[in-house]
């Protein structure tokens, strides 16, 4: 194999390993761009198809699902976490040996899985063992496309299909849907008291485009870098209202008379507030005035001739 071919294929393996997994794929255009960033030019897409075949012949499992991804890891994140915990708990292990072992383990993970593993480590230090077990069960269900039975505090069991986990403000939020329902819901993970894995999901009724759209909408509405703290008063309190607020505002923190969230003040945020009518009130005068301008714009749009 020529040196330039070897460099290209090694770079291709590195790109796929670091940037893809079953939930994150790369298009050929993305792959070509990343190769170019490594000073490797691809003049014909046929070159990549040939490289995929070479890698396949050498045992690398490259799959396609709206994009290419590498599915070769012999470990799940939960299994790697168990191994990492075991290694770091050893008292007599040399630091260099430990770091080399951890580096080899982490090499099986994409950058997305590494981020999630770091989050698991954080929560291991700040939550009880049962919380971590529930988190890992949810992760396993997502990766294996399995329904789970969950119980929220003071509620009956629900059968849901988990889609992904998202971490913001030191909390996990689980996005999910119900069988036969295309709407995506989310809830703060520490509101779930128990999880049980049930049946395999034969048919995922939600497309990846819907999931991506929901992530983007949530990100634009609630997780923007321009987000600011917003304080609310609850005007008509009820358990149902509180559950709705938890689902609509994942980073919500309840206070004595209301709640506060971190959110971007934009139309997506205001449209969510509209759905609560007079049940909630924005306490910040400047934001409240912007909300009134938004409402007046809607009124003017409907009353103008």
């Amino acid at each position: 194999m020529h040196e330039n071919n070897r460099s290209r294929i090694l770079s291709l393996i590195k790109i796929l390993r670091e940037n893809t997994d079953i939930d994150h794929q790369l298009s050929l255009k993305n792959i070509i761009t990343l190769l170019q960033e490594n000073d490797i030019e691809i003049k014909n897409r046929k070159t990549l198809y040939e490289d995929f075949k070479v890698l396949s012949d050498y045992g690398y499992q490259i799959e396609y699902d709206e994009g290419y991804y590498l599915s070769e890891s012999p470990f799940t994140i939960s299994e790697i976490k168990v191994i990492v915990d075991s290694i770091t708990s050893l008292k007599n292990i040399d630091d260099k040996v430990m770091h080399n072992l951890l580096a080899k383990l982490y090499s099986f993970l994409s950058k997305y899985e590494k981020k999630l593993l770091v989050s698991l480590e954080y929560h291991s230090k700040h939550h009880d063992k049962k919380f971590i077990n529930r988190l890992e069960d949810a992760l396993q269900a997502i990766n294996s496309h399995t329904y789970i039975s969950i119980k929220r505090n003071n509620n009956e069991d629900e059968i849901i299909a988990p889609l992904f986990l998202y971490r913001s403000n030191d909390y996990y939020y689980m996005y999910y849907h119900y069988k036969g329902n295309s709407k995506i819901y989310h809830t703060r993970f520490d509101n779930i008291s128990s999880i049980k894995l049930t049946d395999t999901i034969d048919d995922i009724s939600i497309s990846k485009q819907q999931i991506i759209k929901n992530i983007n909408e949530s990100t634009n509405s609630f997780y923007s870098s321009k987000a600011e703290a917003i304080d609310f008063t609850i005007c008509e309190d009820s358990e149902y209202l509180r559950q709705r607020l938890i689902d609509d505002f994942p980073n919500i923190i309840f206070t004595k008379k209301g709640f506060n969230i971190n959110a971007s003040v934009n139309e997506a945020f205001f449209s969510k507030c509209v759905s609560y009518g007079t049940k909630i009130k924005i306490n910040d005068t400047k934001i409240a005035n912007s909300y009134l301008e938004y409402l007046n714009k809607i009124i003017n749009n409907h009353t103008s001739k």
Side-chain angles (χ1 to χ4, degrees):
M1 184 183 290
H2 295 298
E3 184 61 33
N4 59 339
N5 291 347
R6 184 182 296 112
S7 297
R8 185 182 66 245
I9 288 179
L10 288 174
S11 294
L12 181 58
I13 294 171
K14 187 173 185 291
I15 286 169
L16 290 172
R17 179 172 284 156
E18 291 181 352
N19 296 279
T20 70
D21 54 40
I22 192 171
D23 295 315
H24 302 88
Q25 302 83 30
L26 290 175
S27 66
L28 281 178
K29 184 178 179 180
N30 295 145
I31 294 172
I32 290 171
T33 299
L34 290 170
L35 285 169
Q36 288 174 339
E37 290 176 2
N38 288 296
D39 298 322
I40 296 174
E41 293 293 329
I42 302 295
K43 297 179 179 179
N44 191 329
R45 291 189 172 200
K46 185 179 177 183
T47 302
L48 285 179
Y49 294 132
E50 292 171 351
D51 288 346
F52 289 151
K53 186 178 185 307
V54 170
L55 290 173
S56 179
D57 291 341
Y58 277 91
Y60 289 93
Q61 298 178 35
I62 299 174
E63 307 287 346
Y64 182 85
D65 181 9
E66 300 180 7
Y68 294 91
Y69 67 96
L70 190 64
S71 62
E72 62 156 355
S73 177
F75 303 106
T76 66
I77 294 180
S78 296
E79 290 170 337
I80 287 183
K81 183 182 180 302
V82 169
I83 298 171
V84 168
D85 289 345
S86 299
I87 292 172
T88 54
S89 67
L90 296 174
K91 295 181 179 179
N92 298 323
I93 189 170
D94 181 76
D95 285 347
K96 185 176 180 180
V97 173
M98 180 179 70
H99 290 147
N100 286 338
L101 284 172
L102 294 178
K104 289 179 180 178
L105 279 172
Y106 294 153
S107 71
F108 289 109
L109 301 174
S110 69
K111 62 184 180 184
Y112 307 102
E113 292 170 322
K114 288 176 185 175
K115 184 178 179 181
L116 192 53
L117 183 63
V118 170
S119 295
L120 284 172
E121 290 300 321
Y122 172 87
H123 281 272
S124 294
K125 296 173 183 177
H126 293 79
H127 292 277
D128 59 49
K129 187 176 180 180
K130 290 182 179 178
F131 177 90
I132 301 302
N133 290 341
R134 291 196 297 274
L135 203 59
E136 292 179 345
D137 284 344
L139 183 62
Q140 180 182 337
I142 292 168
N143 290 337
S144 61
H145 301 297
T146 305
Y147 285 109
I148 58 175
S149 172
I150 68 168
K151 183 185 286 291
R152 306 180 208 234
N153 298 330
N154 302 320
N155 285 340
E156 296 181 356
D157 289 344
E158 299 176 63
I159 303 297
I160 66 169
L163 295 171
F164 56 94
L165 294 172
Y166 187 90
R167 184 182 170 216
S168 176
N169 298 329
D170 291 336
Y171 290 104
Y172 271 117
Y173 306 96
M174 183 168 67
Y175 287 69
Y176 62 93
H177 72 106
Y178 296 99
K179 189 173 184 178
N181 185 342
S182 61
K183 183 178 178 181
I184 300 176
Y185 301 85
H186 53 261
T187 187
R188 213 169 83 181
F189 200 83
D190 53 353
N191 289 321
I192 298 172
S193 59
S194 70
I195 286 181
K196 293 180 183 177
L197 277 66
T198 60
D199 301 327
T200 301
I201 302 171
D202 297 323
D203 176 38
I204 299 176
S205 58
I206 293 182
S207 67
K208 286 192 175 176
Q209 286 85 355
Q210 285 177 276
I211 297 173
I212 292 169
K213 181 175 182 291
N214 191 273
I215 295 172
N216 289 337
E217 287 177 350
S218 295
T219 301
N220 291 335
S221 299
F222 310 120
Y223 308 116
S224 166
S225 59
K226 296 180 181 179
E228 53 188 294
I230 306 172
D231 185 53
F232 289 81
T233 296
I234 293 178
C235 303
E236 298 178 30
D237 201 0
S238 70
E239 187 62 34
Y240 171 75
L241 173 63
R242 287 176 175 263
Q243 189 57 60
R244 268 193 65 196
L245 288 167
I246 289 169
D247 287 338
D248 283 342
F249 301 105
N251 57 10
I252 190 169
I253 298 175
F254 287 105
T255 59
K256 189 174 182 180
K257 295 184 178 180
F259 63 94
N260 56 63
I261 61 172
N262 285 309
S264 299
V265 179
N266 52 28
E267 290 195 354
F269 164 69
F270 286 146
S271 66
K272 187 66 68 176
C273 293
V274 169
S275 67
Y276 287 93
T278 59
K279 291 181 173 63
I280 62 174
K281 175 186 174 183
I282 300 173
N283 294 331
D284 185 287
T285 303
K286 183 179 178 181
I287 298 175
N289 288 335
S290 297
Y291 182 42
L292 286 174
E293 290 177 9
Y294 171 77
L295 293 174
N296 285 326
K297 187 164 70 172
I298 294 175
I299 294 170
N300 291 335
N301 182 58
H302 284 278
T303 58
S304 62
K305 295 181 180 179

